[in-house]
Amino acid sequence: MVIAAVAAACATALALRPRVRLFASGAAPRRGQARRPSTAVIAAGSAALLALVFVPGVWGLPAAVFAALVTARSVSRLEPAAIRRRRAQLDATLPQVVDLMSTCLTAGASPSGAMARVTPVVDAVMREELSCFVGLLELGADPGDVWSSMGRHPQLGPLGRTLRRSAETGASVADALSGLSDELCAQRRAAMEARARTVEVKAALPLGLCLLPAFVLIGIVPMVAGSFSLTFLGA
């Protein structure tokens, strides 16, 4: 019963999960406006209520506390779908940014100027991330420090580390970005092939659940019924 309560509460949390604002420009709640309860609180309360309903006797209260704690911990670890989509979009756009910057560098632009020229032409999600680093460069920040900061970015890290390494060693930035572009394309191709291979594995269970009952009903049941009729009815 406790497992059922936790599962139902998680389903409730997924259904009621509010949209997460990912941008710093999101509107803050106005003063005096009641805050909406968090998803974890709603899920924990639902789990506790279900546990009290389904677990009788003196075990109801401990089961409710246990279900609430487990559900709150599980729901707090769920990653919002908006964050997953944003991360995937940044990963998909990074090779394009690297290619465009490499083209600008080949034409004679500096790394800072190349990034400033590329930022306005990419999609909104990538443009917002790059604008932070372009703003620092325009304010006069040291490019090495900016590249180091970009190197710690979850998605733009490869670009930042490549720019920092080229600045420290004096190697050609255009050649380094060209190599990075090839590496990113190879990684993306390998990831797509890996996802394509997992489709077969994920499809095996549904196919098995559909084919096994059909095999039993079409192949096994008529054979057993025929044997039964021949053995008992034909005697």
Side-chain angles (χ1 to χ4, degrees):
M1 293 299 182
V2 177
I3 297 177
V6 173
C10 291
T12 303
L14 291 174
L16 298 178
R17 182 170 55 191
R19 294 183 178 180
V20 178
R21 294 189 180 272
L22 300 177
F23 311 110
S25 59
R30 287 175 290 183
R31 183 175 300 177
Q33 182 179 3
R35 289 190 174 183
R36 184 177 181 179
S38 65
T39 305
V41 172
I42 297 174
S46 302
L49 180 60
L50 290 173
L52 288 174
V53 171
F54 288 105
V55 179
V58 296
W59 296 103
L61 183 59
V65 174
F66 175 76
L69 292 176
V70 172
T71 303
R73 185 176 181 86
S74 301
V75 172
S76 62
R77 293 182 176 180
L78 293 176
E79 185 182 34
I83 294 180
R84 290 197 300 270
R85 289 193 298 267
R86 182 180 177 86
R87 183 178 63 244
Q89 190 170 356
L90 289 174
D91 290 334
T93 314
L94 182 59
Q96 177 187 2
V97 172
V98 174
D99 288 339
L100 292 175
M101 287 190 62
S102 178
T103 302
C104 293
L105 290 169
T106 304
S110 63
S112 303
M115 184 172 293
R117 288 176 171 83
V118 167
T119 299
V121 301
V122 294
D123 59 74
V125 176
M126 179 61 76
R127 182 167 60 249
E128 183 183 4
E129 297 294 332
L130 291 177
S131 297
C132 300
F133 302 103
V134 172
L136 292 174
L137 294 170
E138 292 176 349
L139 290 174
D142 182 67
D145 296 337
V146 176
W147 306 147
S148 298
S149 177
M150 182 182 291
R152 295 187 293 270
H153 192 280
Q155 283 75 46
L156 302 182
L159 176 59
R161 290 189 291 269
T162 300
L163 293 173
R164 183 189 61 187
R165 185 165 54 248
S166 298
E168 292 175 350
T169 61
S172 173
V173 186
D175 294 341
L177 289 185
S178 178
L180 176 62
S181 177
D182 296 338
E183 180 182 352
L184 291 174
C185 291
Q187 291 177 357
R188 184 168 179 79
R189 190 180 305 110
M192 293 177 63
E193 292 176 355
R195 285 197 298 269
R197 286 192 296 268
T198 58
V199 172
E200 301 177 358
V201 179
K202 294 179 180 179
L205 181 59
L207 288 176
L209 293 176
C210 294
L211 293 178
L212 184 58
F215 172 74
V216 172
L217 293 175
I218 296 175
I220 304 298
V221 172
M223 183 176 62
V224 173
S227 301
F228 178 81
S229 63
L230 291 175
T231 302
F232 296 96
L233 300 181

